[in-house]
Amino acid sequence: MTKGHEAGRSMVARRGVIGALAAGAAGLAAPHVARAQDTITWRMATSWPKNTPGVGVNAQRLADMITAMSGGRLRVQLFAAGELVPPFEVFDAVSSGAVECGHATPYYWQGKSPAFHFFTGVPFGLSANEHAGWIAFGGGQALWEKAYEPFGVLPFYTGSSGAQAGGWFRKEINSLDDLKGLKMRIAGLGAEVLRRLGVNTLLTPPGEIFQAMQAGTIDAAEWVGPWNDLAFGLYRVAKYYYLPAFHEFGPALEMLVNKKAYEALPEDLREIVRRATQATSYETLADFPFHNVESYQPLLDKGVEVRAFNDDIVKALGRESEAVLSDLSKTSPLAGEVYASFTAFRAKAMTYGKVMDGAIYSMRETGLGA
């Protein structure tokens, strides 16, 4: 069988899965208005392998939280990547009504609209705290809802991993020439930036990163940070660990909700969904930094060599990143609108960060003699 036939059959199979699920959830197309005493079951499809640290675990916490806060009136059943739909088809499943909700990150759906990138990871973008501020109080949430509205999907912010790692490499990266020709797994706009610098990029599903590195299908890979990377065993397939990432200073996670399913809920259950996502945002924002700190030394103990991209590479990454964002802003009126809002807040955040956020780490090191 040719690869083309295999790919065709795979696509048909995936469409068949979503179609079957949609048929089974046909009630969502014309939902009844739930009464206060009704028991409602939602299925949450996720992009994460089961119990993945940080992402999978917090998705489960969110599902359990909604179930508990509603007294069991709204029961959310979580399904890991591939159990109902493939990891990169969660958005389509929620949009079609095949499932009521999902847990993932916006840049997995970049093919729908380039504007989606601004709601998660932007190269040289916002930190996790800054990004949460822009979403909640800087107009980001309204723009996010505007971007998803044509698809019948409501987005809810569910926290961030914080600053991520630049990736695992089998060789040191000392110049731009060292990047050329590399095959690297990388997500989001960072992939386009590196592509312009000569890297062969691809987006391998999370659960397949280790195998792809081990098999030599890819030469380098970024995933999340010390906690997740330790759990995935990436230190076993690459020696050099570059910190931090240029492309994910504070990438966001999201709960995707089918708009018709949400609007069919009683008002109190809609509020529970909204408040539960806010609560899980706090847990997620706390979960990642604690466990990354705890996992860092164990990685070093395994012989990992930590590196940082040098200034020449960082400057080149910065130039290409701004060019990518500028190009993206011209793809649609919506992309231009989101770009203007995001970059305006980023400029203010950079001014403030020089005297506060960035300065506290230097002050702590100076004061404690670290």
mmCIF file with all atom_site columns, all heavy atoms in Angstrom, residues 74-87:
data_model
loop_
_atom_site.group_PDB
_atom_site.id
_atom_site.type_symbol
_atom_site.label_atom_id
_atom_site.label_alt_id
_atom_site.label_comp_id
_atom_site.label_asym_id
_atom_site.label_entity_id
_atom_site.label_seq_id
_atom_site.pdbx_PDB_ins_code
_atom_site.Cartn_x
_atom_site.Cartn_y
_atom_site.Cartn_z
_atom_site.occupancy
_atom_site.B_iso_or_equiv
_atom_site.pdbx_formal_charge
_atom_site.auth_seq_id
_atom_site.auth_comp_id
_atom_site.auth_asym_id
_atom_site.auth_atom_id
_atom_site.pdbx_PDB_model_num
ATOM 1   N N   . LEU A 1 74 ? -23.616 18.318 36.601 1.00 0.00 ? 74 LEU A N   1
ATOM 2   C CA  . LEU A 1 74 ? -22.863 18.374 35.340 1.00 0.00 ? 74 LEU A CA  1
ATOM 3   C C   . LEU A 1 74 ? -21.625 17.500 35.510 1.00 0.00 ? 74 LEU A C   1
ATOM 4   O O   . LEU A 1 74 ? -20.664 17.882 36.172 1.00 0.00 ? 74 LEU A O   1
ATOM 5   C CB  . LEU A 1 74 ? -22.461 19.814 35.007 1.00 0.00 ? 74 LEU A CB  1
ATOM 6   C CG  . LEU A 1 74 ? -21.612 19.998 33.737 1.00 0.00 ? 74 LEU A CG  1
ATOM 7   C CD1 . LEU A 1 74 ? -22.299 19.385 32.518 1.00 0.00 ? 74 LEU A CD1 1
ATOM 8   C CD2 . LEU A 1 74 ? -21.307 21.470 33.505 1.00 0.00 ? 74 LEU A CD2 1
ATOM 9   N N   . ARG A 1 75 ? -21.676 16.319 34.953 1.00 0.00 ? 75 ARG A N   1
ATOM 10  C CA  . ARG A 1 75 ? -20.584 15.362 35.074 1.00 0.00 ? 75 ARG A CA  1
ATOM 11  C C   . ARG A 1 75 ? -19.698 15.451 33.836 1.00 0.00 ? 75 ARG A C   1
ATOM 12  O O   . ARG A 1 75 ? -20.184 15.321 32.712 1.00 0.00 ? 75 ARG A O   1
ATOM 13  C CB  . ARG A 1 75 ? -21.122 13.940 35.234 1.00 0.00 ? 75 ARG A CB  1
ATOM 14  C CG  . ARG A 1 75 ? -21.947 13.751 36.490 1.00 0.00 ? 75 ARG A CG  1
ATOM 15  C CD  . ARG A 1 75 ? -22.527 12.341 36.579 1.00 0.00 ? 75 ARG A CD  1
ATOM 16  N NE  . ARG A 1 75 ? -23.319 12.171 37.781 1.00 0.00 ? 75 ARG A NE  1
ATOM 17  C CZ  . ARG A 1 75 ? -24.013 11.070 38.071 1.00 0.00 ? 75 ARG A CZ  1
ATOM 18  N NH1 . ARG A 1 75 ? -24.005 10.050 37.208 1.00 0.00 ? 75 ARG A NH1 1
ATOM 19  N NH2 . ARG A 1 75 ? -24.709 10.995 39.190 1.00 0.00 ? 75 ARG A NH2 1
ATOM 20  N N   . VAL A 1 76 ? -18.418 15.664 34.054 1.00 0.00 ? 76 VAL A N   1
ATOM 21  C CA  . VAL A 1 76 ? -17.480 15.785 32.948 1.00 0.00 ? 76 VAL A CA  1
ATOM 22  C C   . VAL A 1 76 ? -16.572 14.556 32.938 1.00 0.00 ? 76 VAL A C   1
ATOM 23  O O   . VAL A 1 76 ? -15.848 14.300 33.901 1.00 0.00 ? 76 VAL A O   1
ATOM 24  C CB  . VAL A 1 76 ? -16.640 17.077 33.062 1.00 0.00 ? 76 VAL A CB  1
ATOM 25  C CG1 . VAL A 1 76 ? -15.676 17.176 31.883 1.00 0.00 ? 76 VAL A CG1 1
ATOM 26  C CG2 . VAL A 1 76 ? -17.546 18.303 33.115 1.00 0.00 ? 76 VAL A CG2 1
ATOM 27  N N   . GLN A 1 77 ? -16.633 13.807 31.856 1.00 0.00 ? 77 GLN A N   1
ATOM 28  C CA  . GLN A 1 77 ? -15.820 12.605 31.689 1.00 0.00 ? 77 GLN A CA  1
ATOM 29  C C   . GLN A 1 77 ? -14.645 12.935 30.775 1.00 0.00 ? 77 GLN A C   1
ATOM 30  O O   . GLN A 1 77 ? -14.841 13.386 29.648 1.00 0.00 ? 77 GLN A O   1
ATOM 31  C CB  . GLN A 1 77 ? -16.650 11.475 31.076 1.00 0.00 ? 77 GLN A CB  1
ATOM 32  C CG  . GLN A 1 77 ? -17.831 11.043 31.926 1.00 0.00 ? 77 GLN A CG  1
ATOM 33  C CD  . GLN A 1 77 ? -18.672 9.982  31.242 1.00 0.00 ? 77 GLN A CD  1
ATOM 34  O OE1 . GLN A 1 77 ? -18.642 9.835  30.023 1.00 0.00 ? 77 GLN A OE1 1
ATOM 35  N NE2 . GLN A 1 77 ? -19.434 9.229  32.018 1.00 0.00 ? 77 GLN A NE2 1
ATOM 36  N N   . LEU A 1 78 ? -13.438 12.717 31.249 1.00 0.00 ? 78 LEU A N   1
ATOM 37  C CA  . LEU A 1 78 ? -12.236 13.049 30.477 1.00 0.00 ? 78 LEU A CA  1
ATOM 38  C C   . LEU A 1 78 ? -11.771 11.861 29.644 1.00 0.00 ? 78 LEU A C   1
ATOM 39  O O   . LEU A 1 78 ? -11.764 10.720 30.110 1.00 0.00 ? 78 LEU A O   1
ATOM 40  C CB  . LEU A 1 78 ? -11.118 13.507 31.412 1.00 0.00 ? 78 LEU A CB  1
ATOM 41  C CG  . LEU A 1 78 ? -9.818  13.937 30.722 1.00 0.00 ? 78 LEU A CG  1
ATOM 42  C CD1 . LEU A 1 78 ? -9.218  15.156 31.427 1.00 0.00 ? 78 LEU A CD1 1
ATOM 43  C CD2 . LEU A 1 78 ? -8.788  12.808 30.707 1.00 0.00 ? 78 LEU A CD2 1
ATOM 44  N N   . PHE A 1 79 ? -11.343 12.164 28.415 1.00 0.00 ? 79 PHE A N   1
ATOM 45  C CA  . PHE A 1 79 ? -10.778 11.167 27.521 1.00 0.00 ? 79 PHE A CA  1
ATOM 46  C C   . PHE A 1 79 ? -9.418  11.662 27.045 1.00 0.00 ? 79 PHE A C   1
ATOM 47  O O   . PHE A 1 79 ? -9.288  12.789 26.580 1.00 0.00 ? 79 PHE A O   1
ATOM 48  C CB  . PHE A 1 79 ? -11.701 10.929 26.326 1.00 0.00 ? 79 PHE A CB  1
ATOM 49  C CG  . PHE A 1 79 ? -13.032 10.330 26.703 1.00 0.00 ? 79 PHE A CG  1
ATOM 50  C CD1 . PHE A 1 79 ? -14.091 11.145 27.088 1.00 0.00 ? 79 PHE A CD1 1
ATOM 51  C CD2 . PHE A 1 79 ? -13.202 8.960  26.705 1.00 0.00 ? 79 PHE A CD2 1
ATOM 52  C CE1 . PHE A 1 79 ? -15.307 10.600 27.460 1.00 0.00 ? 79 PHE A CE1 1
ATOM 53  C CE2 . PHE A 1 79 ? -14.423 8.396  27.072 1.00 0.00 ? 79 PHE A CE2 1
ATOM 54  C CZ  . PHE A 1 79 ? -15.475 9.215  27.453 1.00 0.00 ? 79 PHE A CZ  1
ATOM 55  N N   . ALA A 1 80 ? -8.405  10.829 27.191 1.00 0.00 ? 80 ALA A N   1
ATOM 56  C CA  . ALA A 1 80 ? -7.047  11.195 26.791 1.00 0.00 ? 80 ALA A CA  1
ATOM 57  C C   . ALA A 1 80 ? -6.929  11.216 25.269 1.00 0.00 ? 80 ALA A C   1
ATOM 58  O O   . ALA A 1 80 ? -7.820  10.768 24.544 1.00 0.00 ? 80 ALA A O   1
ATOM 59  C CB  . ALA A 1 80 ? -6.039  10.205 27.386 1.00 0.00 ? 80 ALA A CB  1
ATOM 60  N N   . ALA A 1 81 ? -5.805  11.748 24.813 1.00 0.00 ? 81 ALA A N   1
ATOM 61  C CA  . ALA A 1 81 ? -5.554  11.839 23.372 1.00 0.00 ? 81 ALA A CA  1
ATOM 62  C C   . ALA A 1 81 ? -5.726  10.474 22.702 1.00 0.00 ? 81 ALA A C   1
ATOM 63  O O   . ALA A 1 81 ? -5.148  9.481  23.153 1.00 0.00 ? 81 ALA A O   1
ATOM 64  C CB  . ALA A 1 81 ? -4.145  12.371 23.125 1.00 0.00 ? 81 ALA A CB  1
ATOM 65  N N   . GLY A 1 82 ? -6.518  10.435 21.645 1.00 0.00 ? 82 GLY A N   1
ATOM 66  C CA  . GLY A 1 82 ? -6.709  9.204  20.891 1.00 0.00 ? 82 GLY A CA  1
ATOM 67  C C   . GLY A 1 82 ? -7.819  8.316  21.385 1.00 0.00 ? 82 GLY A C   1
ATOM 68  O O   . GLY A 1 82 ? -8.231  7.394  20.671 1.00 0.00 ? 82 GLY A O   1
ATOM 69  N N   . GLU A 1 83 ? -8.334  8.562  22.594 1.00 0.00 ? 83 GLU A N   1
ATOM 70  C CA  . GLU A 1 83 ? -9.403  7.703  23.095 1.00 0.00 ? 83 GLU A CA  1
ATOM 71  C C   . GLU A 1 83 ? -10.732 7.976  22.389 1.00 0.00 ? 83 GLU A C   1
ATOM 72  O O   . GLU A 1 83 ? -11.516 7.055  22.162 1.00 0.00 ? 83 GLU A O   1
ATOM 73  C CB  . GLU A 1 83 ? -9.559  7.874  24.608 1.00 0.00 ? 83 GLU A CB  1
ATOM 74  C CG  . GLU A 1 83 ? -8.407  7.293  25.403 1.00 0.00 ? 83 GLU A CG  1
ATOM 75  C CD  . GLU A 1 83 ? -8.611  7.379  26.902 1.00 0.00 ? 83 GLU A CD  1
ATOM 76  O OE1 . GLU A 1 83 ? -9.425  8.211  27.362 1.00 0.00 ? 83 GLU A OE1 1
ATOM 77  O OE2 . GLU A 1 83 ? -7.945  6.618  27.638 1.00 0.00 ? 83 GLU A OE2 1
ATOM 78  N N   . LEU A 1 84 ? -10.985 9.224  22.062 1.00 0.00 ? 84 LEU A N   1
ATOM 79  C CA  . LEU A 1 84 ? -12.158 9.569  21.263 1.00 0.00 ? 84 LEU A CA  1
ATOM 80  C C   . LEU A 1 84 ? -11.753 10.121 19.904 1.00 0.00 ? 84 LEU A C   1
ATOM 81  O O   . LEU A 1 84 ? -12.320 9.733  18.884 1.00 0.00 ? 84 LEU A O   1
ATOM 82  C CB  . LEU A 1 84 ? -13.036 10.596 22.000 1.00 0.00 ? 84 LEU A CB  1
ATOM 83  C CG  . LEU A 1 84 ? -13.878 10.090 23.172 1.00 0.00 ? 84 LEU A CG  1
ATOM 84  C CD1 . LEU A 1 84 ? -14.687 11.236 23.756 1.00 0.00 ? 84 LEU A CD1 1
ATOM 85  C CD2 . LEU A 1 84 ? -14.803 8.956  22.746 1.00 0.00 ? 84 LEU A CD2 1
ATOM 86  N N   . VAL A 1 85 ? -10.810 11.059 19.921 1.00 0.00 ? 85 VAL A N   1
ATOM 87  C CA  . VAL A 1 85 ? -10.324 11.662 18.673 1.00 0.00 ? 85 VAL A CA  1
ATOM 88  C C   . VAL A 1 85 ? -8.814  11.845 18.782 1.00 0.00 ? 85 VAL A C   1
ATOM 89  O O   . VAL A 1 85 ? -8.263  11.896 19.875 1.00 0.00 ? 85 VAL A O   1
ATOM 90  C CB  . VAL A 1 85 ? -10.994 13.030 18.402 1.00 0.00 ? 85 VAL A CB  1
ATOM 91  C CG1 . VAL A 1 85 ? -12.480 12.859 18.172 1.00 0.00 ? 85 VAL A CG1 1
ATOM 92  C CG2 . VAL A 1 85 ? -10.736 14.016 19.525 1.00 0.00 ? 85 VAL A CG2 1
ATOM 93  N N   . PRO A 1 86 ? -8.107  11.958 17.652 1.00 0.00 ? 86 PRO A N   1
ATOM 94  C CA  . PRO A 1 86 ? -6.673  12.213 17.689 1.00 0.00 ? 86 PRO A CA  1
ATOM 95  C C   . PRO A 1 86 ? -6.375  13.553 18.371 1.00 0.00 ? 86 PRO A C   1
ATOM 96  O O   . PRO A 1 86 ? -7.229  14.441 18.424 1.00 0.00 ? 86 PRO A O   1
ATOM 97  C CB  . PRO A 1 86 ? -6.277  12.251 16.208 1.00 0.00 ? 86 PRO A CB  1
ATOM 98  C CG  . PRO A 1 86 ? -7.329  11.439 15.524 1.00 0.00 ? 86 PRO A CG  1
ATOM 99  C CD  . PRO A 1 86 ? -8.594  11.732 16.273 1.00 0.00 ? 86 PRO A CD  1
ATOM 100 N N   . PRO A 1 87 ? -5.147  13.707 18.904 1.00 0.00 ? 87 PRO A N   1
ATOM 101 C CA  . PRO A 1 87 ? -4.827  14.893 19.711 1.00 0.00 ? 87 PRO A CA  1
ATOM 102 C C   . PRO A 1 87 ? -5.006  16.219 19.003 1.00 0.00 ? 87 PRO A C   1
ATOM 103 O O   . PRO A 1 87 ? -5.354  17.221 19.639 1.00 0.00 ? 87 PRO A O   1
ATOM 104 C CB  . PRO A 1 87 ? -3.361  14.670 20.113 1.00 0.00 ? 87 PRO A CB  1
ATOM 105 C CG  . PRO A 1 87 ? -2.842  13.615 19.188 1.00 0.00 ? 87 PRO A CG  1
ATOM 106 C CD  . PRO A 1 87 ? -4.007  12.773 18.847 1.00 0.00 ? 87 PRO A CD  1
#
